PDB file of all heavy atoms in Angstrom:
ATOM      1  N   LEU P   3       0.851  -1.187   0.000  1.00  0.00           N
ATOM      2  CA  LEU P   3      -0.002   0.002   0.002  1.00  0.00           C
ATOM      3  C   LEU P   3       0.887   1.238   0.001  1.00  0.00           C
ATOM      4  O   LEU P   3       1.776   1.387   0.842  1.00  0.00           O
ATOM      5  CB  LEU P   3      -0.907  -0.002   1.233  1.00  0.00           C
ATOM      6  CG  LEU P   3      -2.078  -1.003   1.188  1.00  0.00           C
ATOM      7  CD1 LEU P   3      -2.674  -1.158   2.573  1.00  0.00           C
ATOM      8  CD2 LEU P   3      -3.121  -0.531   0.199  1.00  0.00           C
ATOM      9  N   VAL P   4       0.639   2.128  -0.965  1.00  0.00           N
ATOM     10  CA  VAL P   4       1.454   3.332  -1.109  1.00  0.00           C
ATOM     11  C   VAL P   4       0.535   4.549  -1.166  1.00  0.00           C
ATOM     12  O   VAL P   4      -0.478   4.544  -1.874  1.00  0.00           O
ATOM     13  CB  VAL P   4       2.313   3.276  -2.394  1.00  0.00           C
ATOM     14  CG1 VAL P   4       3.135   4.548  -2.545  1.00  0.00           C
ATOM     15  CG2 VAL P   4       3.225   2.058  -2.370  1.00  0.00           C
ATOM     16  N   CYS P   5       0.884   5.599  -0.420  1.00  0.00           N
ATOM     17  CA  CYS P   5       0.081   6.820  -0.407  1.00  0.00           C
ATOM     18  C   CYS P   5       0.174   7.506  -1.761  1.00  0.00           C
ATOM     19  O   CYS P   5       1.271   7.725  -2.296  1.00  0.00           O
ATOM     20  CB  CYS P   5       0.558   7.755   0.693  1.00  0.00           C
ATOM     21  SG  CYS P   5      -0.394   9.306   0.760  1.00  0.00           S
ATOM     22  N   ALA P   6      -0.971   7.883  -2.316  1.00  0.00           N
ATOM     23  CA  ALA P   6      -0.994   8.541  -3.617  1.00  0.00           C
ATOM     24  C   ALA P   6      -0.520   9.991  -3.530  1.00  0.00           C
ATOM     25  O   ALA P   6      -0.249  10.613  -4.556  1.00  0.00           O
ATOM     26  CB  ALA P   6      -2.420   8.512  -4.183  1.00  0.00           C
ATOM     27  N   TYR P   7      -0.396  10.525  -2.312  1.00  0.00           N
ATOM     28  CA  TYR P   7      -0.029  11.931  -2.143  1.00  0.00           C
ATOM     29  C   TYR P   7       1.427  12.115  -1.727  1.00  0.00           C
ATOM     30  O   TYR P   7       2.145  12.924  -2.317  1.00  0.00           O
ATOM     31  CB  TYR P   7      -0.957  12.587  -1.110  1.00  0.00           C
ATOM     32  CG  TYR P   7      -2.408  12.521  -1.510  1.00  0.00           C
ATOM     33  CD1 TYR P   7      -3.228  11.494  -1.042  1.00  0.00           C
ATOM     34  CD2 TYR P   7      -2.958  13.458  -2.375  1.00  0.00           C
ATOM     35  CE1 TYR P   7      -4.568  11.413  -1.428  1.00  0.00           C
ATOM     36  CE2 TYR P   7      -4.288  13.383  -2.772  1.00  0.00           C
ATOM     37  CZ  TYR P   7      -5.082  12.360  -2.287  1.00  0.00           C
ATOM     38  OH  TYR P   7      -6.393  12.270  -2.678  1.00  0.00           O
ATOM     39  N   CYS P   8       1.885  11.358  -0.722  1.00  0.00           N
ATOM     40  CA  CYS P   8       3.250  11.568  -0.228  1.00  0.00           C
ATOM     41  C   CYS P   8       4.176  10.398  -0.521  1.00  0.00           C
ATOM     42  O   CYS P   8       5.370  10.480  -0.266  1.00  0.00           O
ATOM     43  CB  CYS P   8       3.244  11.865   1.268  1.00  0.00           C
ATOM     44  SG  CYS P   8       2.760  10.445   2.305  1.00  0.00           S
ATOM     45  N   GLY P   9       3.632   9.291  -1.047  1.00  0.00           N
ATOM     46  CA  GLY P   9       4.469   8.161  -1.427  1.00  0.00           C
ATOM     47  C   GLY P   9       4.852   7.233  -0.291  1.00  0.00           C
ATOM     48  O   GLY P   9       5.618   6.284  -0.492  1.00  0.00           O
ATOM     49  N   THR P  10       4.337   7.471   0.905  1.00  0.00           N
ATOM     50  CA  THR P  10       4.671   6.621   2.050  1.00  0.00           C
ATOM     51  C   THR P  10       4.081   5.230   1.884  1.00  0.00           C
ATOM     52  O   THR P  10       2.912   5.078   1.519  1.00  0.00           O
ATOM     53  CB  THR P  10       4.141   7.254   3.356  1.00  0.00           C
ATOM     54  OG1 THR P  10       4.736   8.541   3.532  1.00  0.00           O
ATOM     55  CG2 THR P  10       4.469   6.362   4.556  1.00  0.00           C
ATOM     56  N   GLU P  11       4.890   4.213   2.140  1.00  0.00           N
ATOM     57  CA  GLU P  11       4.390   2.837   2.141  1.00  0.00           C
ATOM     58  C   GLU P  11       3.773   2.537   3.496  1.00  0.00           C
ATOM     59  O   GLU P  11       4.399   2.751   4.540  1.00  0.00           O
ATOM     60  CB  GLU P  11       5.522   1.856   1.834  1.00  0.00           C
ATOM     61  CG  GLU P  11       6.065   1.977   0.427  1.00  0.00           C
ATOM     62  CD  GLU P  11       6.999   0.839   0.065  1.00  0.00           C
ATOM     63  OE1 GLU P  11       6.920  -0.220   0.710  1.00  0.00           O
ATOM     64  OE2 GLU P  11       7.815   1.015  -0.868  1.00  0.00           O
ATOM     65  N   SER P  12       2.559   2.028   3.479  1.00  0.00           N
ATOM     66  CA  SER P  12       1.822   1.814   4.720  1.00  0.00           C
ATOM     67  C   SER P  12       2.167   0.450   5.321  1.00  0.00           C
ATOM     68  O   SER P  12       2.215  -0.552   4.607  1.00  0.00           O
ATOM     69  CB  SER P  12       0.311   1.892   4.466  1.00  0.00           C
ATOM     70  OG  SER P  12      -0.032   3.145   3.916  1.00  0.00           O
ATOM     71  N   PRO P  13       2.347   0.409   6.616  1.00  0.00           N
ATOM     72  CA  PRO P  13       2.619  -0.872   7.281  1.00  0.00           C
ATOM     73  C   PRO P  13       1.352  -1.655   7.515  1.00  0.00           C
ATOM     74  O   PRO P  13       1.023  -2.026   8.640  1.00  0.00           O
ATOM     75  CB  PRO P  13       3.259  -0.424   8.590  1.00  0.00           C
ATOM     76  CG  PRO P  13       2.594   0.884   8.889  1.00  0.00           C
ATOM     77  CD  PRO P  13       2.374   1.538   7.553  1.00  0.00           C
ATOM     78  N   TYR P  14       0.591  -1.869   6.457  1.00  0.00           N
ATOM     79  CA  TYR P  14      -0.682  -2.600   6.562  1.00  0.00           C
ATOM     80  C   TYR P  14      -0.419  -4.061   6.232  1.00  0.00           C
ATOM     81  O   TYR P  14       0.173  -4.387   5.207  1.00  0.00           O
ATOM     82  CB  TYR P  14      -1.695  -2.006   5.591  1.00  0.00           C
ATOM     83  CG  TYR P  14      -3.050  -2.687   5.602  1.00  0.00           C
ATOM     84  CD1 TYR P  14      -4.011  -2.358   6.541  1.00  0.00           C
ATOM     85  CD2 TYR P  14      -3.344  -3.675   4.664  1.00  0.00           C
ATOM     86  CE1 TYR P  14      -5.254  -2.989   6.543  1.00  0.00           C
ATOM     87  CE2 TYR P  14      -4.577  -4.302   4.660  1.00  0.00           C
ATOM     88  CZ  TYR P  14      -5.523  -3.960   5.598  1.00  0.00           C
ATOM     89  OH  TYR P  14      -6.748  -4.588   5.587  1.00  0.00           O
ATOM     90  N   GLU P  15      -0.835  -4.943   7.098  1.00  0.00           N
ATOM     91  CA  GLU P  15      -0.574  -6.364   6.903  1.00  0.00           C
ATOM     92  C   GLU P  15      -1.735  -6.988   6.122  1.00  0.00           C
ATOM     93  O   GLU P  15      -2.852  -7.108   6.627  1.00  0.00           O
ATOM     94  CB  GLU P  15      -0.414  -7.076   8.239  1.00  0.00           C
ATOM     95  CG  GLU P  15      -0.004  -8.535   8.089  1.00  0.00           C
ATOM     96  CD  GLU P  15       0.307  -9.195   9.417  1.00  0.00           C
ATOM     97  OE1 GLU P  15       0.507  -8.456  10.415  1.00  0.00           O
ATOM     98  OE2 GLU P  15       0.351 -10.424   9.471  1.00  0.00           O
ATOM     99  N   LEU P  16      -1.453  -7.361   4.876  1.00  0.00           N
ATOM    100  CA  LEU P  16      -2.472  -7.965   4.028  1.00  0.00           C
ATOM    101  C   LEU P  16      -2.663  -9.424   4.381  1.00  0.00           C
ATOM    102  O   LEU P  16      -1.719 -10.117   4.800  1.00  0.00           O
ATOM    103  CB  LEU P  16      -2.068  -7.851   2.560  1.00  0.00           C
ATOM    104  CG  LEU P  16      -2.045  -6.428   1.984  1.00  0.00           C
ATOM    105  CD1 LEU P  16      -1.252  -6.414   0.697  1.00  0.00           C
ATOM    106  CD2 LEU P  16      -3.455  -5.944   1.736  1.00  0.00           C
ATOM    107  N   LYS P  17      -3.875  -9.896   4.177  1.00  0.00           N
ATOM    108  CA  LYS P  17      -4.149 -11.300   4.405  1.00  0.00           C
ATOM    109  C   LYS P  17      -3.427 -12.139   3.360  1.00  0.00           C
ATOM    110  O   LYS P  17      -3.370 -11.777   2.196  1.00  0.00           O
ATOM    111  CB  LYS P  17      -5.646 -11.581   4.340  1.00  0.00           C
ATOM    112  CG  LYS P  17      -6.452 -10.917   5.434  1.00  0.00           C
ATOM    113  CD  LYS P  17      -7.931 -11.205   5.251  1.00  0.00           C
ATOM    114  CE  LYS P  17      -8.762 -10.491   6.302  1.00  0.00           C
ATOM    115  NZ  LYS P  17     -10.214 -10.694   6.100  1.00  0.00           N
ATOM    116  N   ASP P  18      -2.856 -13.227   3.779  1.00  0.00           N
ATOM    117  CA  ASP P  18      -2.165 -14.109   2.845  1.00  0.00           C
ATOM    118  C   ASP P  18      -2.360 -15.535   3.316  1.00  0.00           C
ATOM    119  O   ASP P  18      -2.786 -15.798   4.438  1.00  0.00           O
ATOM    120  CB  ASP P  18      -0.672 -13.763   2.784  1.00  0.00           C
ATOM    121  CG  ASP P  18      -0.028 -14.259   1.510  1.00  0.00           C
ATOM    122  OD1 ASP P  18      -0.726 -14.949   0.736  1.00  0.00           O
ATOM    123  OD2 ASP P  18       1.160 -13.962   1.296  1.00  0.00           O
ATOM    124  N   GLY P  19      -2.025 -16.450   2.429  1.00  0.00           N
ATOM    125  CA  GLY P  19      -2.159 -17.850   2.790  1.00  0.00           C
ATOM    126  C   GLY P  19      -3.598 -18.303   2.741  1.00  0.00           C
ATOM    127  O   GLY P  19      -4.506 -17.590   2.361  1.00  0.00           O
ATOM    128  N   GLY P  20      -3.816 -19.535   3.176  1.00  0.00           N
ATOM    129  CA  GLY P  20      -5.150 -20.099   3.115  1.00  0.00           C
ATOM    130  C   GLY P  20      -5.482 -20.587   1.726  1.00  0.00           C
ATOM    131  O   GLY P  20      -4.788 -20.292   0.754  1.00  0.00           O
ATOM    132  N   GLU P  21      -6.526 -21.348   1.600  1.00  0.00           N
ATOM    133  CA  GLU P  21      -6.911 -21.902   0.321  1.00  0.00           C
ATOM    134  C   GLU P  21      -8.232 -21.326  -0.142  1.00  0.00           C
ATOM    135  O   GLU P  21      -9.111 -21.002   0.661  1.00  0.00           O
ATOM    136  CB  GLU P  21      -7.035 -23.435   0.418  1.00  0.00           C
ATOM    137  CG  GLU P  21      -5.709 -24.142   0.671  1.00  0.00           C
ATOM    138  CD  GLU P  21      -5.866 -25.651   0.603  1.00  0.00           C
ATOM    139  OE1 GLU P  21      -7.011 -26.113   0.399  1.00  0.00           O
ATOM    140  OE2 GLU P  21      -4.859 -26.358   0.765  1.00  0.00           O
ATOM    141  N   ALA P  22      -8.358 -21.169  -1.453  1.00  0.00           N
ATOM    142  CA  ALA P  22      -9.623 -20.749  -2.032  1.00  0.00           C
ATOM    143  C   ALA P  22     -10.616 -21.891  -1.901  1.00  0.00           C
ATOM    144  O   ALA P  22     -10.315 -23.031  -2.268  1.00  0.00           O
ATOM    145  CB  ALA P  22      -9.430 -20.381  -3.492  1.00  0.00           C
ATOM    146  N   ILE P  23     -11.779 -21.602  -1.367  1.00  0.00           N
ATOM    147  CA  ILE P  23     -12.768 -22.645  -1.087  1.00  0.00           C
ATOM    148  C   ILE P  23     -13.641 -22.885  -2.308  1.00  0.00           C
ATOM    149  O   ILE P  23     -14.181 -21.949  -2.888  1.00  0.00           O
ATOM    150  CB  ILE P  23     -13.642 -22.254   0.123  1.00  0.00           C
ATOM    151  CG1 ILE P  23     -12.767 -22.054   1.355  1.00  0.00           C
ATOM    152  CG2 ILE P  23     -14.703 -23.319   0.378  1.00  0.00           C
ATOM    153  CD1 ILE P  23     -13.527 -21.538   2.557  1.00  0.00           C
ATOM    154  N   GLU P  24     -13.765 -24.137  -2.698  1.00  0.00           N
ATOM    155  CA  GLU P  24     -14.683 -24.525  -3.760  1.00  0.00           C
ATOM    156  C   GLU P  24     -16.020 -24.891  -3.120  1.00  0.00           C
ATOM    157  O   GLU P  24     -16.085 -25.752  -2.239  1.00  0.00           O
ATOM    158  CB  GLU P  24     -14.129 -25.731  -4.541  1.00  0.00           C
ATOM    159  CG  GLU P  24     -12.797 -25.483  -5.226  1.00  0.00           C
ATOM    160  CD  GLU P  24     -12.947 -24.688  -6.509  1.00  0.00           C
ATOM    161  OE1 GLU P  24     -14.102 -24.414  -6.902  1.00  0.00           O
ATOM    162  OE2 GLU P  24     -11.918 -24.342  -7.112  1.00  0.00           O
ATOM    163  N   HIS P  25     -17.106 -24.239  -3.567  1.00  0.00           N
ATOM    164  CA  HIS P  25     -18.422 -24.465  -2.979  1.00  0.00           C
ATOM    165  C   HIS P  25     -19.259 -25.382  -3.859  1.00  0.00           C
ATOM    166  O   HIS P  25     -19.193 -25.299  -5.096  1.00  0.00           O
ATOM    167  CB  HIS P  25     -19.150 -23.133  -2.778  1.00  0.00           C
ATOM    168  CG  HIS P  25     -18.439 -22.202  -1.850  1.00  0.00           C
ATOM    169  ND1 HIS P  25     -18.384 -22.401  -0.499  1.00  0.00           N
ATOM    170  CD2 HIS P  25     -17.714 -21.069  -2.095  1.00  0.00           C
ATOM    171  CE1 HIS P  25     -17.686 -21.425   0.066  1.00  0.00           C
ATOM    172  NE2 HIS P  25     -17.262 -20.611  -0.889  1.00  0.00           N
ATOM    173  N   ASP P  26     -20.036 -26.222  -3.228  1.00  0.00           N
ATOM    174  CA  ASP P  26     -20.895 -27.144  -3.955  1.00  0.00           C
ATOM    175  C   ASP P  26     -21.921 -26.361  -4.767  1.00  0.00           C
ATOM    176  O   ASP P  26     -22.712 -25.587  -4.214  1.00  0.00           O
ATOM    177  CB  ASP P  26     -21.601 -28.079  -2.977  1.00  0.00           C
ATOM    178  CG  ASP P  26     -22.429 -29.125  -3.700  1.00  0.00           C
ATOM    179  OD1 ASP P  26     -23.605 -28.844  -3.991  1.00  0.00           O
ATOM    180  OD2 ASP P  26     -21.882 -30.211  -4.001  1.00  0.00           O
ATOM    181  N   LEU P  27     -21.922 -26.571  -6.087  1.00  0.00           N
ATOM    182  CA  LEU P  27     -22.776 -25.778  -6.967  1.00  0.00           C
ATOM    183  C   LEU P  27     -24.247 -26.133  -6.802  1.00  0.00           C
ATOM    184  O   LEU P  27     -25.108 -25.255  -6.732  1.00  0.00           O
ATOM    185  CB  LEU P  27     -22.345 -25.964  -8.423  1.00  0.00           C
ATOM    186  CG  LEU P  27     -23.174 -25.234  -9.470  1.00  0.00           C
ATOM    187  CD1 LEU P  27     -23.149 -23.731  -9.225  1.00  0.00           C
ATOM    188  CD2 LEU P  27     -22.679 -25.553 -10.871  1.00  0.00           C
ATOM    189  N   VAL P  28     -24.563 -27.410  -6.740  1.00  0.00           N
ATOM    190  CA  VAL P  28     -25.955 -27.834  -6.643  1.00  0.00           C
ATOM    191  C   VAL P  28     -26.585 -27.296  -5.367  1.00  0.00           C
ATOM    192  O   VAL P  28     -27.702 -26.766  -5.366  1.00  0.00           O
ATOM    193  CB  VAL P  28     -26.057 -29.368  -6.703  1.00  0.00           C
ATOM    194  CG1 VAL P  28     -27.510 -29.814  -6.488  1.00  0.00           C
ATOM    195  CG2 VAL P  28     -25.526 -29.893  -8.037  1.00  0.00           C
ATOM    196  N   ALA P  29     -25.855 -27.416  -4.244  1.00  0.00           N
ATOM    197  CA  ALA P  29     -26.384 -26.915  -2.971  1.00  0.00           C
ATOM    198  C   ALA P  29     -26.560 -25.404  -3.010  1.00  0.00           C
ATOM    199  O   ALA P  29     -27.533 -24.860  -2.489  1.00  0.00           O
ATOM    200  CB  ALA P  29     -25.454 -27.316  -1.833  1.00  0.00           C
ATOM    201  N   ALA P  30     -25.625 -24.717  -3.654  1.00  0.00           N
ATOM    202  CA  ALA P  30     -25.698 -23.257  -3.714  1.00  0.00           C
ATOM    203  C   ALA P  30     -26.880 -22.791  -4.533  1.00  0.00           C
ATOM    204  O   ALA P  30     -27.539 -21.805  -4.183  1.00  0.00           O
ATOM    205  CB  ALA P  30     -24.407 -22.695  -4.300  1.00  0.00           C
ATOM    206  N   LEU P  31     -27.160 -23.483  -5.627  1.00  0.00           N
ATOM    207  CA  LEU P  31     -28.286 -23.090  -6.462  1.00  0.00           C
ATOM    208  C   LEU P  31     -29.614 -23.308  -5.753  1.00  0.00           C
ATOM    209  O   LEU P  31     -30.599 -22.637  -6.052  1.00  0.00           O
ATOM    210  CB  LEU P  31     -28.258 -23.864  -7.782  1.00  0.00           C
ATOM    211  CG  LEU P  31     -27.093 -23.519  -8.716  1.00  0.00           C
ATOM    212  CD1 LEU P  31     -27.106 -24.428  -9.935  1.00  0.00           C
ATOM    213  CD2 LEU P  31     -27.168 -22.061  -9.157  1.00  0.00           C
ATOM    214  N   LYS P  32     -29.631 -24.236  -4.814  1.00  0.00           N
ATOM    215  CA  LYS P  32     -30.864 -24.485  -4.067  1.00  0.00           C
ATOM    216  C   LYS P  32     -31.104 -23.433  -2.997  1.00  0.00           C
ATOM    217  O   LYS P  32     -32.230 -23.007  -2.772  1.00  0.00           O
ATOM    218  CB  LYS P  32     -30.817 -25.881  -3.430  1.00  0.00           C
ATOM    219  CG  LYS P  32     -30.915 -27.024  -4.439  1.00  0.00           C
ATOM    220  CD  LYS P  32     -30.896 -28.363  -3.728  1.00  0.00           C
ATOM    221  CE  LYS P  32     -31.044 -29.517  -4.725  1.00  0.00           C
ATOM    222  NZ  LYS P  32     -30.986 -30.830  -4.049  1.00  0.00           N
ATOM    223  N   ALA P  33     -30.040 -23.034  -2.316  1.00  0.00           N
ATOM    224  CA  ALA P  33     -30.226 -22.091  -1.205  1.00  0.00           C
ATOM    225  C   ALA P  33     -28.927 -21.348  -0.946  1.00  0.00           C
ATOM    226  O   ALA P  33     -27.956 -21.946  -0.504  1.00  0.00           O
ATOM    227  CB  ALA P  33     -30.662 -22.848   0.056  1.00  0.00           C
ATOM    228  N   ILE P  34     -28.927 -20.046  -1.220  1.00  0.00           N
ATOM    229  CA  ILE P  34     -27.782 -19.198  -0.915  1.00  0.00           C
ATOM    230  C   ILE P  34     -28.124 -18.402   0.336  1.00  0.00           C
ATOM    231  O   ILE P  34     -29.074 -17.625   0.340  1.00  0.00           O
ATOM    232  CB  ILE P  34     -27.471 -18.243  -2.090  1.00  0.00           C
ATOM    233  CG1 ILE P  34     -27.170 -19.059  -3.350  1.00  0.00           C
ATOM    234  CG2 ILE P  34     -26.308 -17.329  -1.751  1.00  0.00           C
ATOM    235  CD1 ILE P  34     -26.999 -18.209  -4.596  1.00  0.00           C
ATOM    236  N   PRO P  35     -27.388 -18.592   1.429  1.00  0.00           N
ATOM    237  CA  PRO P  35     -27.757 -17.939   2.693  1.00  0.00           C
ATOM    238  C   PRO P  35     -27.584 -16.438   2.637  1.00  0.00           C
ATOM    239  O   PRO P  35     -26.744 -15.905   1.914  1.00  0.00           O
ATOM    240  CB  PRO P  35     -26.780 -18.566   3.705  1.00  0.00           C
ATOM    241  CG  PRO P  35     -25.599 -18.969   2.876  1.00  0.00           C
ATOM    242  CD  PRO P  35     -26.165 -19.407   1.554  1.00  0.00           C
ATOM    243  N   GLN P  36     -28.401 -15.735   3.420  1.00  0.00           N
ATOM    244  CA  GLN P  36     -28.313 -14.280   3.487  1.00  0.00           C
ATOM    245  C   GLN P  36     -26.964 -13.814   4.030  1.00  0.00           C
ATOM    246  O   GLN P  36     -26.506 -12.722   3.717  1.00  0.00           O
ATOM    247  CB  GLN P  36     -29.439 -13.730   4.368  1.00  0.00           C
ATOM    248  CG  GLN P  36     -30.818 -13.843   3.738  1.00  0.00           C
ATOM    249  CD  GLN P  36     -30.927 -13.016   2.463  1.00  0.00           C
ATOM    250  OE1 GLN P  36     -30.385 -11.932   2.379  1.00  0.00           O
ATOM    251  NE2 GLN P  36     -31.647 -13.537   1.488  1.00  0.00           N
ATOM    252  N   THR P  37     -26.286 -14.645   4.835  1.00  0.00           N
ATOM    253  CA  THR P  37     -24.987 -14.261   5.388  1.00  0.00           C
ATOM    254  C   THR P  37     -23.932 -14.158   4.313  1.00  0.00           C
ATOM    255  O   THR P  37     -22.861 -13.609   4.544  1.00  0.00           O
ATOM    256  CB  THR P  37     -24.527 -15.300   6.430  1.00  0.00           C
ATOM    257  OG1 THR P  37     -24.508 -16.601   5.827  1.00  0.00           O
ATOM    258  CG2 THR P  37     -25.448 -15.298   7.628  1.00  0.00           C
ATOM    259  N   ALA P  38     -24.208 -14.696   3.115  1.00  0.00           N
ATOM    260  CA  ALA P  38     -23.232 -14.632   2.027  1.00  0.00           C
ATOM    261  C   ALA P  38     -23.580 -13.538   1.025  1.00  0.00           C
ATOM    262  O   ALA P  38     -22.989 -13.468  -0.038  1.00  0.00           O
ATOM    263  CB  ALA P  38     -23.170 -15.983   1.318  1.00  0.00           C
ATOM    264  N   ARG P  39     -24.550 -12.698   1.382  1.00  0.00           N
ATOM    265  CA  ARG P  39     -25.033 -11.697   0.428  1.00  0.00           C
ATOM    266  C   ARG P  39     -24.668 -10.292   0.905  1.00  0.00           C
ATOM    267  O   ARG P  39     -24.460 -10.051   2.081  1.00  0.00           O
ATOM    268  CB  ARG P  39     -26.555 -11.810   0.267  1.00  0.00           C
ATOM    269  CG  ARG P  39     -27.034 -13.169  -0.195  1.00  0.00           C
ATOM    270  CD  ARG P  39     -28.561 -13.256  -0.104  1.00  0.00           C
ATOM    271  NE  ARG P  39     -29.040 -14.580  -0.418  1.00  0.00           N
ATOM    272  CZ  ARG P  39     -29.508 -14.943  -1.600  1.00  0.00           C
ATOM    273  NH1 ARG P  39     -29.521 -14.085  -2.588  1.00  0.00           N
ATOM    274  NH2 ARG P  39     -29.948 -16.178  -1.798  1.00  0.00           N
ATOM    275  N   GLY P  40     -24.654  -9.368  -0.065  1.00  0.00           N
ATOM    276  CA  GLY P  40     -24.421  -7.964   0.264  1.00  0.00           C
ATOM    277  C   GLY P  40     -22.951  -7.646   0.477  1.00  0.00           C
ATOM    278  O   GLY P  40     -22.151  -8.505   0.820  1.00  0.00           O
ATOM    279  N   TRP P  41     -22.585  -6.373   0.264  1.00  0.00           N
ATOM    280  CA  TRP P  41     -21.187  -5.959   0.434  1.00  0.00           C
ATOM    281  C   TRP P  41     -20.838  -5.751   1.898  1.00  0.00           C
ATOM    282  O   TRP P  41     -19.686  -5.854   2.290  1.00  0.00           O
ATOM    283  CB  TRP P  41     -20.938  -4.652  -0.339  1.00  0.00           C
ATOM    284  CG  TRP P  41     -20.979  -4.835  -1.818  1.00  0.00           C
ATOM    285  CD1 TRP P  41     -22.038  -4.564  -2.656  1.00  0.00           C
ATOM    286  CD2 TRP P  41     -19.948  -5.352  -2.655  1.00  0.00           C
ATOM    287  NE1 TRP P  41     -21.713  -4.876  -3.950  1.00  0.00           N
ATOM    288  CE2 TRP P  41     -20.434  -5.365  -3.984  1.00  0.00           C
ATOM    289  CE3 TRP P  41     -18.649  -5.803  -2.420  1.00  0.00           C
ATOM    290  CZ2 TRP P  41     -19.680  -5.797  -5.062  1.00  0.00           C
ATOM    291  CZ3 TRP P  41     -17.884  -6.240  -3.491  1.00  0.00           C
ATOM    292  CH2 TRP P  41     -18.403  -6.239  -4.795  1.00  0.00           C
ATOM    293  N   GLN P  42     -21.839  -5.420   2.735  1.00  0.00           N
ATOM    294  CA  GLN P  42     -21.629  -5.170   4.156  1.00  0.00           C
ATOM    295  C   GLN P  42     -20.552  -4.114   4.390  1.00  0.00           C
ATOM    296  O   GLN P  42     -19.661  -4.275   5.225  1.00  0.00           O
ATOM    297  CB  GLN P  42     -21.275  -6.462   4.904  1.00  0.00           C
ATOM    298  CG  GLN P  42     -22.443  -7.430   4.948  1.00  0.00           C
ATOM    299  CD  GLN P  42     -22.227  -8.557   5.919  1.00  0.00           C
ATOM    300  OE1 GLN P  42     -21.104  -8.847   6.317  1.00  0.00           O
ATOM    301  NE2 GLN P  42     -23.290  -9.209   6.318  1.00  0.00           N
ATOM    302  N   ASP P  43     -20.602  -3.045   3.644  1.00  0.00           N
ATOM    303  CA  ASP P  43     -19.725  -1.905   3.853  1.00  0.00           C
ATOM    304  C   ASP P  43     -20.399  -0.683   3.263  1.00  0.00           C
ATOM    305  O   ASP P  43     -21.532  -0.733   2.820  1.00  0.00           O
ATOM    306  CB  ASP P  43     -18.335  -2.147   3.244  1.00  0.00           C
ATOM    307  CG  ASP P  43     -18.357  -2.119   1.731  1.00  0.00           C
ATOM    308  OD1 ASP P  43     -19.464  -2.124   1.151  1.00  0.00           O
ATOM    309  OD2 ASP P  43     -17.278  -2.103   1.116  1.00  0.00           O
ATOM    310  N   ASP P  44     -19.671   0.451   3.261  1.00  0.00           N
ATOM    311  CA  ASP P  44     -20.280   1.685   2.773  1.00  0.00           C
ATOM    312  C   ASP P  44     -19.871   2.007   1.350  1.00  0.00           C
ATOM    313  O   ASP P  44     -19.927   3.163   0.925  1.00  0.00           O
ATOM    314  CB  ASP P  44     -19.917   2.848   3.702  1.00  0.00           C
ATOM    315  CG  ASP P  44     -18.407   3.068   3.794  1.00  0.00           C
ATOM    316  OD1 ASP P  44     -17.649   2.266   3.180  1.00  0.00           O
ATOM    317  OD2 ASP P  44     -17.992   4.014   4.472  1.00  0.00           O
ATOM    318  N   ARG P  45     -19.441   1.015   0.596  1.00  0.00           N
ATOM    319  CA  ARG P  45     -19.106   1.272  -0.800  1.00  0.00           C
ATOM    320  C   ARG P  45     -20.368   1.672  -1.560  1.00  0.00           C
ATOM    321  O   ARG P  45     -21.468   1.220  -1.242  1.00  0.00           O
ATOM    322  CB  ARG P  45     -18.448   0.048  -1.436  1.00  0.00           C
ATOM    323  CG  ARG P  45     -17.123  -0.311  -0.781  1.00  0.00           C
ATOM    324  CD  ARG P  45     -16.475  -1.513  -1.432  1.00  0.00           C
ATOM    325  NE  ARG P  45     -15.876  -1.177  -2.714  1.00  0.00           N
ATOM    326  CZ  ARG P  45     -14.625  -0.745  -2.851  1.00  0.00           C
ATOM    327  NH1 ARG P  45     -13.850  -0.592  -1.790  1.00  0.00           N
ATOM    328  NH2 ARG P  45     -14.136  -0.472  -4.038  1.00  0.00           N
ATOM    329  N   ARG P  46     -20.211   2.509  -2.578  1.00  0.00           N
ATOM    330  CA  ARG P  46     -21.346   3.140  -3.255  1.00  0.00           C
ATOM    331  C   ARG P  46     -21.532   2.537  -4.645  1.00  0.00           C
ATOM    332  O   ARG P  46     -20.736   2.781  -5.556  1.00  0.00           O
ATOM    333  CB  ARG P  46     -21.090   4.650  -3.375  1.00  0.00           C
ATOM    334  CG  ARG P  46     -22.169   5.439  -4.106  1.00  0.00           C
ATOM    335  CD  ARG P  46     -21.825   6.906  -4.064  1.00  0.00           C
ATOM    336  NE  ARG P  46     -20.599   7.190  -4.796  1.00  0.00           N
ATOM    337  CZ  ARG P  46     -20.565   7.702  -6.029  1.00  0.00           C
ATOM    338  NH1 ARG P  46     -21.688   7.967  -6.661  1.00  0.00           N
ATOM    339  NH2 ARG P  46     -19.418   7.951  -6.619  1.00  0.00           N
ATOM    340  N   PRO P  47     -22.576   1.718  -4.875  1.00  0.00           N
ATOM    341  CA  PRO P  47     -22.817   1.169  -6.207  1.00  0.00           C
ATOM    342  C   PRO P  47     -23.522   2.175  -7.105  1.00  0.00           C
ATOM    343  O   PRO P  47     -24.473   2.833  -6.684  1.00  0.00           O
ATOM    344  CB  PRO P  47     -23.707  -0.051  -5.936  1.00  0.00           C
ATOM    345  CG  PRO P  47     -24.425   0.279  -4.673  1.00  0.00           C
ATOM    346  CD  PRO P  47     -23.509   1.175  -3.877  1.00  0.00           C
TER     347      PRO P  47
END
């Protein structure tokens, strides 16, 4: 992460590692839970 104004590199620790989860397609098409929906932030669509 680099500041667009002063060029300072931020000491922000990004998430790394872990595996990408493959989800069962048939089960997902039947029922997608509300907990997996929405951005849950203040981003503006």
